[in-house]
Amino acid sequence: MQIWVDADACPGVIKEILFRAAIRHGLPLTLVANQWLRVPPSPHIRSVQVPQGFDVADSHIVEQVAAGELVVTADIPLAALVIDKQAFALNPRGEFYTAENVRQ
């Protein structure tokens, strides 16, 4: 399972938890942001810097995510698009978005 992180607004403490989980469990973790991000050296963790612009990081995630993968985001419109692609969306507080609650 691939984990994607909408990293522009993701709290640092959440990123640290995700880094430890990716390393411990060997899960591929990709952080997407429109700025350079420092990530720990690990074959499981990478960052992708996208150009500046409205929703560019979101668009990259939606283009790349596959069914069954996980996206961590606080962005409700992004979560809705992820769910439409049959992937899972989780907010930084650990709550899953669903087709029902994301549209409210």
Side-chain angles (χ1 to χ4, degrees):
M1 173 197 280
Q2 169 77 33
I3 301 171
W4 297 90
V5 180
D6 180 11
D8 284 321
C10 186
V13 67
I14 301 302
K15 289 181 212 170
E16 291 298 325
I17 291 168
L18 291 167
F19 293 154
R20 288 194 304 270
I23 292 167
R24 184 178 310 124
H25 298 288
L27 295 170
L29 173 67
T30 303
L31 288 83
V32 181
N34 59 20
Q35 59 189 343
W36 180 83
L37 296 171
R38 195 178 107 243
V39 298
S42 169
H44 306 294
I45 302 170
R46 70 184 186 106
S47 67
V48 175
Q49 184 177 356
V50 296
Q52 295 285 332
F54 185 70
D55 286 342
V56 176
D58 297 357
S59 295
H60 180 82
I61 292 170
V62 170
E63 290 170 7
Q64 299 298 313
V65 72
E69 294 181 339
L70 175 66
V71 176
V72 178
T73 184
D75 185 320
I76 293 171
L78 171 57
L81 294 170
V82 166
I83 290 168
D84 288 345
K85 290 193 74 173
Q86 305 300 307
F88 299 98
L90 181 72
N91 72 29
R93 294 183 310 274
E95 300 161 342
F96 277 102
Y97 294 102
T98 66
E100 293 77 32
N101 71 16
V102 79
R103 305 280 183 216
Q104 293 178 353

XYZ file of all heavy atoms in Angstrom:
804
model
N 0.832 -1.177 0.000
C 0.000 0.000 0.000
C 0.883 1.250 0.000
O 1.815 1.350 0.773
C -0.908 0.043 1.229
C -1.661 1.372 1.308
S -2.383 1.782 2.869
C -3.841 0.844 2.832
N 0.587 2.159 -0.868
C 1.271 3.449 -0.949
C 0.527 4.441 -0.058
O -0.704 4.474 -0.054
C 1.266 3.950 -2.400
C 1.697 5.382 -2.596
C 3.195 5.570 -2.498
O 3.974 4.701 -2.877
N 3.597 6.693 -1.982
N 1.276 5.252 0.680
C 0.690 6.333 1.468
C 1.125 7.649 0.834
O 2.310 7.867 0.588
C 1.139 6.287 2.934
C 0.737 4.952 3.570
C 0.552 7.466 3.710
C 1.319 4.740 4.947
N 0.151 8.511 0.567
C 0.388 9.848 0.015
C 0.049 10.869 1.087
O -0.927 10.700 1.811
C -0.506 10.083 -1.201
C -0.233 9.155 -2.334
C -0.808 7.935 -2.558
C 0.694 9.355 -3.393
N -0.301 7.372 -3.696
C 0.626 8.227 -4.228
C 1.567 10.387 -3.722
C 1.402 8.100 -5.371
C 2.346 10.262 -4.856
C 2.268 9.129 -5.668
N 0.845 11.938 1.153
C 0.588 12.988 2.134
C 0.494 14.324 1.414
O 1.413 14.710 0.680
C 1.699 13.053 3.203
C 1.418 14.155 4.215
C 1.856 11.711 3.901
N -0.618 15.006 1.623
C -0.777 16.385 1.176
C 0.015 17.212 2.184
O -0.499 17.631 3.224
C -2.264 16.745 1.177
C -2.554 18.151 0.719
O -1.635 18.823 0.199
O -3.702 18.596 0.889
N 1.295 17.409 1.900
C 2.249 17.854 2.917
C 2.317 19.352 3.145
O 2.921 19.787 4.120
C 3.641 17.322 2.564
N 1.734 20.166 2.289
C 1.821 21.612 2.486
C 1.248 22.046 3.837
O 1.796 22.920 4.485
C 1.109 22.362 1.352
C 1.916 22.368 0.071
O 3.150 22.502 0.148
O 1.315 22.232 -1.007
N 0.162 21.458 4.256
C -0.475 21.864 5.502
C -0.457 20.775 6.574
O -1.047 20.942 7.629
C -1.921 22.283 5.227
N 0.204 19.678 6.318
C 0.237 18.584 7.284
C 1.143 18.975 8.462
O 2.289 19.382 8.263
C 0.755 17.309 6.625
S 0.673 15.859 7.684
N 0.647 18.847 9.687
C 1.467 19.191 10.855
C 2.746 18.349 10.926
O 2.746 17.161 10.583
C 0.546 18.881 12.043
C -0.835 18.892 11.476
C -0.696 18.429 10.056
N 3.806 18.969 11.396
C 5.096 18.297 11.504
C 5.058 17.042 12.352
O 5.693 16.039 12.028
N 4.308 17.071 13.441
C 4.227 15.902 14.315
C 3.591 14.721 13.588
O 3.996 13.566 13.790
C 3.487 16.244 15.637
C 2.024 16.559 15.394
C 3.634 15.126 16.635
N 2.637 14.979 12.720
C 2.000 13.910 11.944
C 2.992 13.345 10.935
O 3.076 12.124 10.742
C 0.717 14.417 11.247
C -0.283 14.957 12.264
C 0.100 13.321 10.382
C -0.708 13.983 13.333
N 3.757 14.222 10.293
C 4.780 13.741 9.357
C 5.776 12.840 10.071
O 6.166 11.794 9.533
C 5.510 14.921 8.710
C 4.669 15.691 7.729
C 5.496 16.814 7.134
C 4.623 17.994 6.812
N 5.376 19.177 6.456
N 6.181 13.213 11.279
C 7.137 12.392 12.031
C 6.561 11.009 12.338
O 7.259 10.005 12.228
C 7.540 13.102 13.334
C 8.385 14.339 13.126
C 9.720 14.053 12.458
O 10.320 12.981 12.718
O 10.171 14.905 11.667
N 5.295 10.952 12.700
C 4.635 9.660 12.957
C 4.614 8.823 11.683
O 4.905 7.626 11.702
C 3.209 9.883 13.497
C 3.274 10.478 14.899
C 2.406 8.584 13.484
C 1.949 11.003 15.421
N 4.292 9.463 10.551
C 4.255 8.748 9.270
C 5.636 8.265 8.865
O 5.786 7.157 8.332
C 3.648 9.641 8.189
C 2.155 9.918 8.348
C 1.719 11.055 7.430
C 1.352 8.658 8.088
N 6.673 9.068 9.118
C 8.046 8.644 8.810
C 8.386 7.373 9.586
O 8.900 6.405 9.018
C 9.064 9.734 9.170
C 8.980 10.990 8.345
C 9.431 12.193 8.878
C 8.478 10.992 7.052
C 9.386 13.360 8.138
C 8.423 12.154 6.302
C 8.874 13.345 6.852
N 8.102 7.388 10.888
C 8.424 6.211 11.712
C 7.653 4.981 11.252
O 8.200 3.877 11.186
C 8.142 6.508 13.184
C 9.151 7.456 13.805
C 9.082 7.476 15.325
N 7.774 7.793 15.864
C 7.332 9.025 16.141
N 8.102 10.067 15.901
N 6.129 9.200 16.657
N 6.378 5.156 10.925
C 5.560 4.021 10.471
C 6.069 3.473 9.145
O 6.136 2.248 8.957
C 4.101 4.449 10.342
N 6.438 4.353 8.218
C 6.937 3.911 6.911
C 8.227 3.110 7.065
O 8.398 2.067 6.432
C 7.158 5.111 5.996
N 9.109 3.597 7.910
C 10.385 2.902 8.116
C 10.153 1.574 8.834
O 10.663 0.534 8.427
C 11.367 3.810 8.894
C 11.781 4.996 8.008
C 12.574 3.024 9.373
C 12.489 6.113 8.739
N 9.361 1.594 9.886
C 9.119 0.387 10.689
C 8.443 -0.718 9.892
O 8.784 -1.890 10.002
C 8.266 0.731 11.906
C 8.048 -0.458 12.840
C 7.243 -0.112 14.089
N 7.776 1.054 14.759
C 7.056 2.167 15.030
N 5.795 2.247 14.687
N 7.609 3.179 15.652
N 7.482 -0.338 9.038
C 6.693 -1.343 8.326
C 7.075 -1.486 6.857
O 6.455 -2.281 6.143
C 5.199 -1.013 8.438
C 4.713 -1.037 9.860
N 4.557 -2.202 10.572
C 4.393 -0.031 10.708
C 4.146 -1.917 11.788
N 4.041 -0.608 11.900
N 8.056 -0.720 6.407
C 8.497 -0.824 5.014
C 7.450 -0.349 4.023
O 7.367 -0.873 2.912
N 6.652 0.641 4.416
C 5.594 1.153 3.543
C 6.094 2.327 2.712
O 6.750 3.219 3.246
C 4.399 1.636 4.383
C 3.669 0.569 5.175
C 2.681 1.220 6.133
C 2.956 -0.375 4.237
N 5.769 2.357 1.439
C 6.157 3.508 0.630
C 5.326 4.737 1.016
O 4.092 4.672 1.077
C 5.874 3.082 -0.804
C 5.006 1.884 -0.714
C 5.131 1.311 0.653
N 6.024 5.824 1.317
C 5.410 7.067 1.755
C 5.892 8.191 0.850
O 7.101 8.360 0.668
C 5.802 7.357 3.205
C 5.391 8.692 3.813
C 3.872 8.765 3.966
C 6.072 8.897 5.156
N 4.964 8.929 0.259
C 5.310 10.048 -0.609
C 4.643 11.310 -0.100
O 3.422 11.348 0.048
C 4.869 9.788 -2.064
O 5.473 8.576 -2.515
C 5.281 10.931 -2.974
N 5.452 12.331 0.164
C 4.945 13.625 0.570
C 4.948 14.529 -0.648
O 5.954 14.616 -1.352
C 5.821 14.236 1.662
C 5.703 13.569 3.036
C 6.588 12.359 3.104
C 6.052 14.542 4.125
N 3.836 15.203 -0.894
C 3.699 16.082 -2.054
C 3.462 17.497 -1.540
O 2.551 17.726 -0.734
C 2.543 15.634 -2.964
C 2.436 16.543 -4.183
C 2.728 14.182 -3.396
N 4.280 18.441 -2.014
C 4.153 19.833 -1.582
C 4.694 20.751 -2.660
O 5.431 20.317 -3.549
C 4.922 20.054 -0.283
N 4.356 22.027 -2.555
C 4.887 22.983 -3.520
C 6.127 23.686 -2.983
O 6.532 24.713 -3.488
C 3.813 23.989 -3.961
C 3.252 24.775 -2.810
O 3.851 24.882 -1.752
N 2.073 25.321 -3.020
N 6.716 23.097 -1.972
C 7.976 23.586 -1.424
C 8.885 22.394 -1.132
O 8.417 21.260 -1.045
C 7.717 24.379 -0.149
C 7.025 23.571 0.919
C 6.591 24.429 2.087
O 7.053 25.538 2.262
N 5.676 23.928 2.897
N 10.166 22.655 -0.978
C 11.102 21.587 -0.665
C 10.832 21.084 0.744
O 10.594 21.855 1.663
C 12.537 22.107 -0.782
C 13.548 21.057 -0.467
C 14.024 20.111 -1.323
C 14.188 20.830 0.786
N 14.929 19.304 -0.665
C 15.046 19.725 0.624
C 14.116 21.442 2.021
C 15.830 19.232 1.655
C 14.899 20.943 3.057
C 15.741 19.858 2.857
N 10.847 19.770 0.913
C 10.634 19.155 2.221
C 11.831 18.303 2.594
O 12.368 17.570 1.757
C 9.397 18.255 2.203
C 8.062 18.923 1.950
C 6.986 17.868 1.751
C 7.697 19.835 3.107
N 12.225 18.381 3.851
C 13.284 17.521 4.347
C 12.649 16.234 4.843
O 11.700 16.263 5.631
C 14.014 18.223 5.495
C 15.338 17.570 5.814
C 16.066 18.300 6.928
N 15.983 17.454 8.098
C 15.380 17.748 9.238
N 14.818 18.909 9.394
N 15.347 16.901 10.234
N 13.134 15.112 4.346
C 12.630 13.811 4.784
C 13.819 12.967 5.233
O 14.947 13.166 4.771
C 11.836 13.089 3.668
C 10.611 13.898 3.277
C 12.691 12.804 2.471
N 13.577 12.045 6.142
C 14.676 11.195 6.599
C 15.180 10.294 5.474
O 14.416 9.929 4.576
C 14.063 10.370 7.729
C 12.604 10.508 7.613
C 12.312 11.726 6.793
N 16.459 9.948 5.528
C 16.988 9.046 4.505
C 16.394 7.650 4.692
O 16.577 7.020 5.722
C 18.495 9.050 4.758
C 18.642 9.472 6.183
C 17.466 10.337 6.500
N 15.647 7.220 3.719
C 15.013 5.906 3.760
C 14.604 5.539 2.344
O 14.116 6.395 1.605
C 13.767 5.928 4.654
O 13.021 4.740 4.490
N 14.757 4.281 1.974
C 14.291 3.869 0.646
C 12.763 3.878 0.533
O 12.222 3.781 -0.561
C 14.844 2.450 0.494
C 15.044 1.963 1.885
C 15.381 3.189 2.708
N 12.076 4.034 1.669
C 10.619 3.993 1.669
C 9.969 5.372 1.617
O 8.765 5.475 1.410
C 10.112 3.262 2.916
C 10.713 1.909 3.084
N 10.477 0.866 2.214
C 11.582 1.441 4.010
C 11.163 -0.182 2.596
N 11.839 0.129 3.681
N 10.768 6.417 1.832
C 10.212 7.769 1.937
C 10.777 8.660 0.843
O 11.976 8.697 0.618
C 10.539 8.387 3.313
C 9.983 7.508 4.429
C 9.990 9.814 3.406
C 10.463 7.898 5.812
N 9.860 9.381 0.177
C 10.314 10.352 -0.816
C 9.412 11.573 -0.766
O 8.290 11.509 -0.264
C 10.352 9.756 -2.220
C 9.014 9.462 -2.823
C 9.141 8.775 -4.189
N 7.829 8.626 -4.794
C 7.381 9.342 -5.808
N 8.142 10.261 -6.369
N 6.179 9.143 -6.286
N 9.927 12.659 -1.278
C 9.103 13.862 -1.379
C 9.079 14.296 -2.835
O 10.040 14.097 -3.573
C 9.636 14.982 -0.484
O 10.886 15.433 -0.938
N 7.955 14.872 -3.218
C 7.771 15.383 -4.569
C 7.439 16.861 -4.440
O 6.483 17.216 -3.741
C 6.629 14.651 -5.307
C 6.363 15.285 -6.661
C 6.949 13.172 -5.449
N 8.257 17.688 -5.080
C 7.977 19.114 -5.096
C 7.293 19.452 -6.404
O 7.827 19.208 -7.476
C 9.261 19.931 -4.940
C 9.000 21.416 -4.864
C 10.272 22.218 -4.632
O 11.356 21.672 -4.448
N 10.130 23.528 -4.642
N 6.086 20.007 -6.297
C 5.325 20.405 -7.477
C 5.425 21.922 -7.613
O 5.764 22.615 -6.657
C 3.846 19.948 -7.367
C 3.749 18.432 -7.349
C 3.162 20.548 -6.163
N 5.117 22.461 -8.787
C 5.170 23.912 -8.961
C 4.157 24.636 -8.059
O 3.161 24.051 -7.625
C 4.799 24.119 -10.439
C 5.033 22.800 -11.081
C 4.801 21.772 -10.030
N 4.442 25.898 -7.804
C 3.508 26.739 -7.053
C 2.207 26.852 -7.834
O 2.209 26.812 -9.057
C 4.100 28.147 -6.858
C 5.340 28.184 -5.994
C 5.033 28.018 -4.520
O 3.965 28.372 -4.042
N 5.982 27.451 -3.796
N 1.121 26.994 -7.142
C -0.163 27.179 -7.805
C -1.277 26.550 -7.009
O -1.063 25.650 -6.199
N -2.467 27.029 -7.256
C -3.640 26.564 -6.534
C -3.932 25.102 -6.865
O -4.106 24.743 -8.030
C -4.844 27.451 -6.895
C -6.075 27.131 -6.121
C -6.155 27.423 -4.773
C -7.152 26.514 -6.736
C -7.293 27.124 -4.044
C -8.292 26.209 -6.018
C -8.362 26.515 -4.665
N -3.949 24.259 -5.855
C -4.301 22.836 -5.953
C -3.362 22.010 -6.837
O -3.746 20.932 -7.296
C -5.743 22.663 -6.430
C -6.759 23.007 -5.350
O -6.385 23.054 -4.164
O -7.928 23.206 -5.695
N -2.143 22.477 -7.073
C -1.203 21.701 -7.893
C -0.816 20.409 -7.172
O -0.799 19.338 -7.788
C 0.040 22.540 -8.263
C 1.054 21.708 -9.024
C -0.362 23.760 -9.073
N -0.546 20.493 -5.876
C -0.200 19.283 -5.115
C -1.384 18.323 -5.081
O -1.222 17.114 -5.263
C 0.235 19.650 -3.697
N -2.576 18.863 -4.895
C -3.778 18.030 -4.876
C -3.955 17.305 -6.208
O -4.237 16.102 -6.246
C -5.023 18.867 -4.599
C -5.004 19.528 -3.225
O -4.054 19.298 -2.460
O -5.954 20.269 -2.934
N -3.780 18.037 -7.284
C -3.925 17.438 -8.617
C -2.917 16.322 -8.839
O -3.249 15.281 -9.409
C -3.766 18.502 -9.699
O -4.807 19.444 -9.608
N -1.684 16.527 -8.373
C -0.655 15.489 -8.523
C -1.061 14.229 -7.766
O -0.940 13.115 -8.296
C 0.694 16.008 -8.019
C 1.785 14.998 -8.138
N 2.456 14.785 -9.314
C 2.285 14.117 -7.240
C 3.352 13.821 -9.130
N 3.259 13.400 -7.874
N -1.537 14.411 -6.554
C -1.952 13.254 -5.754
C -3.095 12.512 -6.442
O -3.062 11.284 -6.575
C -2.345 13.685 -4.328
C -1.099 14.157 -3.572
C -3.045 12.549 -3.581
C -1.383 14.835 -2.243
N -4.098 13.243 -6.911
C -5.244 12.608 -7.565
C -4.812 11.861 -8.821
O -5.300 10.760 -9.093
C -6.343 13.650 -7.888
C -7.432 13.065 -8.768
C -6.943 14.188 -6.598
N -3.867 12.415 -9.577
C -3.378 11.741 -10.784
C -2.638 10.452 -10.453
O -2.698 9.483 -11.212
C -2.438 12.664 -11.557
C -3.115 13.831 -12.223
C -2.120 14.844 -12.769
O -0.895 14.583 -12.756
O -2.570 15.917 -13.195
N -1.936 10.431 -9.334
C -1.062 9.311 -9.003
C -1.704 8.234 -8.133
O -1.312 7.074 -8.203
C 0.199 9.823 -8.292
C 1.033 10.775 -9.124
C 1.562 10.123 -10.383
O 2.085 9.013 -10.343
N 1.429 10.802 -11.507
N -2.655 8.603 -7.301
C -3.215 7.645 -6.340
C -3.991 6.543 -7.059
O -4.655 6.780 -8.064
C -4.101 8.361 -5.283
C -5.405 8.848 -5.875
C -4.341 7.464 -4.081
N -3.871 5.347 -6.520
C -4.578 4.192 -7.070
C -5.570 3.671 -6.031
O -5.444 3.944 -4.831
C -3.581 3.092 -7.443
N -6.529 2.917 -6.488
C -7.521 2.316 -5.597
C -6.821 1.538 -4.490
O -5.833 0.849 -4.725
C -8.444 1.395 -6.391
N -7.308 1.706 -3.276
C -6.756 0.988 -2.138
C -5.613 1.683 -1.443
O -5.197 1.248 -0.366
N -5.092 2.752 -2.030
C -4.005 3.482 -1.388
C -4.574 4.477 -0.386
O -5.784 4.707 -0.338
C -3.136 4.181 -2.440
C -2.412 3.176 -3.310
C -1.510 3.798 -4.358
O -1.691 4.985 -4.715
O -0.615 3.072 -4.831
N -3.706 5.076 0.417
C -4.116 5.973 1.489
C -3.573 7.373 1.238
O -2.395 7.537 0.910
C -3.592 5.458 2.831
C -3.840 6.337 4.060
C -5.326 6.435 4.363
C -3.072 5.787 5.256
N -4.431 8.380 1.425
C -4.021 9.780 1.324
C -4.327 10.451 2.658
O -5.442 10.358 3.169
C -4.768 10.512 0.190
C -4.406 11.996 0.177
C -4.446 9.875 -1.153
N -3.319 11.124 3.216
C -3.489 11.880 4.443
C -3.636 13.347 4.047
O -2.719 13.918 3.443
C -2.295 11.689 5.400
C -2.476 12.533 6.659
C -2.117 10.212 5.744
N -4.785 13.935 4.372
C -5.061 15.314 3.986
C -6.118 15.926 4.888
O -6.987 15.227 5.395
C -5.522 15.411 2.517
O -5.683 16.789 2.172
C -6.819 14.668 2.280
N -6.047 17.231 5.034
C -7.099 17.977 5.721
C -7.998 18.675 4.700
O -8.946 19.351 5.066
C -6.482 19.006 6.668
N -7.698 18.488 3.433
C -8.404 19.147 2.334
C -9.615 18.303 1.929
O -9.466 17.228 1.326
C -7.421 19.306 1.175
C -7.972 20.078 0.011
O -9.155 19.893 -0.333
O -7.200 20.846 -0.588
N -10.801 18.778 2.233
C -12.015 18.004 1.971
C -12.265 17.781 0.477
O -12.593 16.661 0.076
C -13.229 18.634 2.686
C -13.015 18.493 4.192
C -14.529 17.976 2.263
C -14.010 19.234 5.045
N -12.088 18.795 -0.386
C -12.264 18.517 -1.819
C -11.287 17.454 -2.339
O -11.666 16.606 -3.146
C -12.035 19.872 -2.487
C -12.394 20.872 -1.435
C -11.944 20.240 -0.145
N -10.049 17.471 -1.856
C -9.095 16.432 -2.246
C -9.572 15.072 -1.739
O -9.535 14.079 -2.473
C -7.693 16.741 -1.715
C -6.648 15.642 -1.876
C -6.472 15.227 -3.334
C -5.319 16.075 -1.265
N -10.022 15.016 -0.507
C -10.514 13.749 0.050
C -11.664 13.196 -0.794
O -11.717 11.990 -1.053
C -10.965 13.950 1.494
N -12.545 14.062 -1.253
C -13.672 13.610 -2.086
C -13.171 12.997 -3.389
O -13.671 11.946 -3.824
C -14.616 14.771 -2.372
N -12.174 13.616 -4.009
C -11.621 13.082 -5.260
C -10.913 11.749 -5.035
O -10.987 10.843 -5.860
C -10.665 14.098 -5.891
C -11.307 15.396 -6.374
C -10.244 16.423 -6.747
C -12.235 15.121 -7.549
N -10.233 11.628 -3.908
C -9.539 10.389 -3.557
C -10.558 9.261 -3.365
O -10.369 8.149 -3.866
C -8.689 10.612 -2.286
C -8.225 9.295 -1.687
C -7.505 11.518 -2.600
N -11.628 9.547 -2.664
C -12.665 8.546 -2.441
C -13.291 8.133 -3.768
O -13.585 6.949 -3.987
C -13.716 9.078 -1.445
C -13.093 9.160 -0.056
C -14.955 8.201 -1.430
C -13.913 9.923 0.958
N -13.481 9.089 -4.671
C -14.022 8.767 -5.994
C -13.137 7.787 -6.750
O -13.607 7.035 -7.596
C -14.198 10.037 -6.841
C -15.352 10.903 -6.359
O -16.193 10.426 -5.570
O -15.397 12.085 -6.771
N -11.826 7.784 -6.441
C -10.892 6.857 -7.095
C -10.750 5.554 -6.314
O -9.840 4.768 -6.575
C -9.528 7.528 -7.271
C -9.567 8.631 -8.324
C -8.194 9.082 -8.723
C -7.523 8.043 -9.589
N -6.247 8.479 -10.155
N -11.643 5.325 -5.350
C -11.647 4.102 -4.546
C -10.407 3.961 -3.662
O -9.992 2.848 -3.322
C -11.811 2.856 -5.432
C -13.034 2.891 -6.319
C -14.325 3.001 -5.525
O -14.560 2.204 -4.641
N -15.145 3.997 -5.828
N -9.804 5.097 -3.304
C -8.690 5.109 -2.352
C -9.242 5.578 -1.003
O -10.408 5.963 -0.898
C -7.585 6.033 -2.847
N -8.410 5.539 0.017
C -8.817 5.938 1.356
C -8.263 7.314 1.662
O -7.131 7.635 1.303
C -8.298 4.938 2.394
C -8.830 3.549 2.185
C -8.073 2.600 1.517
C -10.088 3.198 2.652
C -8.552 1.319 1.309
C -10.584 1.915 2.449
C -9.815 0.979 1.775
N -9.050 8.129 2.363
C -8.619 9.461 2.769
C -8.746 9.568 4.287
O -9.776 9.211 4.858
C -9.462 10.531 2.080
N -7.683 10.050 4.913
C -7.601 10.143 6.364
C -7.181 11.558 6.720
O -6.246 12.097 6.107
C -6.555 9.141 6.864
C -6.276 9.012 8.343
C -7.446 8.315 9.042
C -4.990 8.232 8.572
N -7.850 12.177 7.681
C -7.405 13.513 8.068
C -6.277 13.392 9.089
O -6.062 12.319 9.662
C -8.575 14.385 8.540
C -9.137 14.006 9.883
O -8.466 13.487 10.760
N -10.415 14.273 10.065
N -5.524 14.464 9.329
C -4.388 14.384 10.253
C -4.767 14.034 11.692
O -3.906 13.657 12.473
C -3.768 15.783 10.172
C -4.148 16.283 8.826
C -5.534 15.723 8.590
N -6.037 14.130 12.041
C -6.486 13.733 13.380
C -6.768 12.231 13.459
O -7.157 11.724 14.510
C -7.735 14.521 13.776
C -7.488 16.016 13.945
C -8.736 16.752 14.407
N -9.918 16.449 13.623
C -10.274 17.071 12.490
N -9.514 18.027 12.001
N -11.376 16.733 11.860
N -6.632 11.529 12.334
C -6.829 10.094 12.333
C -8.236 9.649 12.011
O -8.582 8.496 12.227
N -9.055 10.549 11.475
C -10.432 10.206 11.133
C -10.543 9.981 9.627
O -10.084 10.804 8.838
C -11.369 11.344 11.551
C -11.326 11.626 13.039
C -11.876 13.000 13.402
O -11.978 13.868 12.511
O -12.179 13.199 14.583
N -11.176 8.867 9.251
C -11.368 8.572 7.839
C -12.499 9.413 7.265
O -13.521 9.627 7.917
C -11.696 7.090 7.614
C -10.484 6.219 7.568
C -10.139 5.455 8.668
C -9.696 6.163 6.434
C -9.020 4.646 8.642
C -8.577 5.355 6.390
C -8.231 4.608 7.498
N -12.277 9.886 6.061
C -13.359 10.488 5.298
C -14.105 9.344 4.607
O -13.498 8.346 4.217
C -12.811 11.413 4.212
C -12.094 12.632 4.715
C -10.706 12.681 4.727
C -12.794 13.762 5.146
C -10.029 13.816 5.165
C -12.133 14.892 5.579
C -10.750 14.913 5.595
O -10.083 16.027 6.023
N -15.400 9.508 4.471
C -16.216 8.523 3.750
C -17.006 9.262 2.682
O -17.092 10.489 2.700
C -17.200 7.805 4.699
O -18.150 8.761 5.190
C -16.482 7.131 5.859
N -17.620 8.511 1.811
C -18.452 9.127 0.763
C -19.579 9.934 1.399
O -19.999 10.954 0.862
C -19.012 8.057 -0.166
N -20.040 9.512 2.569
C -21.133 10.220 3.238
C -20.657 11.500 3.933
O -21.238 12.550 3.771
C -21.821 9.297 4.277
C -22.566 8.145 3.664
C -21.648 7.012 3.186
O -20.585 6.788 3.812
O -21.982 6.360 2.194
N -19.588 11.405 4.730
C -19.202 12.576 5.521
C -18.394 13.622 4.740
O -18.310 14.765 5.144
C -18.487 12.181 6.811
C -17.102 11.627 6.604
O -16.481 11.759 5.563
N -16.598 10.975 7.640
N -17.804 13.244 3.629
C -16.998 14.191 2.871
C -17.888 15.171 2.089
O -17.457 16.255 1.743
C -15.992 13.464 1.950
C -16.658 12.946 0.690
C -14.817 14.349 1.614
N -19.099 14.803 1.851
C -20.017 15.646 1.080
C -20.847 16.583 1.958
O -21.575 17.399 1.455
C -20.971 14.775 0.250
C -20.294 13.783 -0.655
C -19.805 14.407 -1.913
N -19.210 13.363 -2.772
C -18.173 13.579 -3.528
N -17.619 14.758 -3.606
N -17.693 12.594 -4.265
N -20.738 16.431 3.286
C -21.567 17.244 4.188
C -21.136 18.691 4.219
O -20.042 19.048 4.300
C -21.516 16.665 5.604
C -22.176 15.318 5.690
C -22.084 14.731 7.080
O -21.427 15.240 7.956
N -22.772 13.612 7.261
